[in-house]
Amino acid sequence: MLDKLEQTAIKNNIPIMSKDGINYLINFIKENKVKTILEIGTAIGYSAIKMAFIDPEIKIVTIERDQNRYNEAIVNVKEFGLEKQIDVILADALEIDITSKFDLVFIDAAKAQYIKFFEKFKHNLNKHGIIVSDNLNFHGLVNSDKTDLSRNLRNLVLKIEKYIQFLENNIEFKTKFINIGDGISISRKDDEDEN
Ligand code: SAH
Ligand code: MG
């Protein structure tokens, strides 16, 4: 059934996580005993469903701003019987107030807004919480020659490069960059001055 979801996504050009990327994330969630996840960018629910299947104790809040994708995500979550574990919210993530705290924030929405998502949702982390971001390679375009790209695409890639610099220079969080799938980053709060 999940294969069907993957195929629907590919057919409709919906950028779900690659197999390698999602498998890496799943292992990471297991190893770090993550139980609560806030996902920015649901699309049709693929990654949320994969993460929920890891463990019935895992709870996910996931935000999607596109009405059609939200509708599809709701149907898919129901179809897999995961309504108790996955709460899909229809909203622009930058405009909604989320008050609960999570073990993991997973950023996988509009790439040009990553710094804003990071700055906003770092306040929703539990102590030792982690922020994971997807698509930092952006199909191999990051740190590549951009002369042949359209202006829009070039700007988008520049925004991602800026986000990478932002993470590299961040003193509050330490970030690891993993060259798997479309490029993933893992940012942890630096505990040293937290005592
Ligand atoms: N995580 C999904 C893929 C998400 S694709 C998976 O791997 O299965 C990115 C999604 O983010 C798109 O559906 C897009 O509509 C949504 N999005 C982009 N910007 C957003 C925002 N500001 N708030 C909420 N959703 C957003
Ligand atoms: Mg992605």
Side-chain angles (χ1 to χ4, degrees):
M1 274 221 299
L2 263 165
D3 286 353
K4 208 180 88 195
L5 255 195
E6 275 165 24
Q7 278 153 22
T8 313
I10 292 163
K11 204 175 74 203
N12 297 302
N13 261 323
I14 298 166
I16 61 168
M17 273 200 111
S18 70
K19 273 220 160 82
D20 288 354
I22 190 72
N23 286 338
Y24 181 88
L25 186 56
I26 286 171
N27 274 322
F28 182 86
I29 289 170
K30 286 183 186 162
E31 275 169 19
N32 289 275
K33 302 190 170 55
V34 168
K35 291 290 183 268
T36 51
I37 302 166
L38 174 63
E39 178 181 64
I40 317 301
T42 316
I44 59 171
Y46 173 75
S47 51
I49 289 167
K50 291 281 269 188
M51 294 189 285
F53 271 135
I54 298 170
D55 180 340
E57 269 183 42
I58 290 179
K59 293 261 191 301
I60 303 168
V61 173
T62 179
I63 309 174
E64 174 56 51
R65 68 175 173 192
D66 180 273
Q67 176 82 57
N68 291 332
R69 289 185 180 177
Y70 165 83
N71 292 346
E72 272 189 63
I74 292 284
V75 168
N76 291 330
V77 167
K78 278 222 175 82
E79 198 166 313
F80 285 93
L82 293 168
E83 304 99 305
K84 289 219 169 78
Q85 279 181 264
I86 304 176
D87 185 9
V88 190
I89 296 177
L90 175 65
D92 186 317
L94 291 174
E95 283 167 16
I96 184 182
D97 272 333
I98 302 281
T99 46
S100 10
K101 307 258 181 187
F102 300 84
D103 299 334
L104 180 93
V105 171
F106 174 45
I107 303 176
D108 192 19
K111 312 306 160 203
Q113 311 285 334
Y114 269 23
I115 295 182
K116 286 189 185 147
F117 293 136
F118 190 101
E119 291 289 19
K120 175 169 181 175
F121 294 108
K122 70 180 186 189
H123 301 292
N124 292 91
L125 288 176
N126 288 326
K127 200 170 183 229
H128 306 301
I130 298 155
I131 300 184
V132 172
S133 322
D134 187 35
N135 303 103
L136 297 194
N137 293 343
F138 207 68
H139 320 298
L141 294 176
V142 168
N143 294 326
S144 75
D145 178 11
K146 285 177 255 315
T147 39
D148 289 339
L149 302 183
S150 72
R151 214 172 117 190
N152 280 346
L153 192 52
R154 183 165 60 233
N155 282 336
L156 190 57
V157 175
L158 285 170
K159 288 255 167 69
I160 300 172
E161 290 175 359
K162 223 168 142 191
Y163 180 62
I164 292 171
Q165 279 168 19
F166 160 85
L167 294 176
E168 281 171 346
N169 298 329
N170 200 300
I171 45 172
E172 210 184 339
F173 285 81
K174 283 259 177 300
T175 297
K176 267 201 304 198
F177 296 91
I178 318 285
N179 192 11
I180 206 160
D182 195 28
I184 293 174
S185 65
I186 297 181
S187 308
R188 288 175 196 270
K189 254 218 186 105
D190 200 354
D191 277 344
E192 262 159 4
D193 41 25
E194 221 185 58
N195 298 317

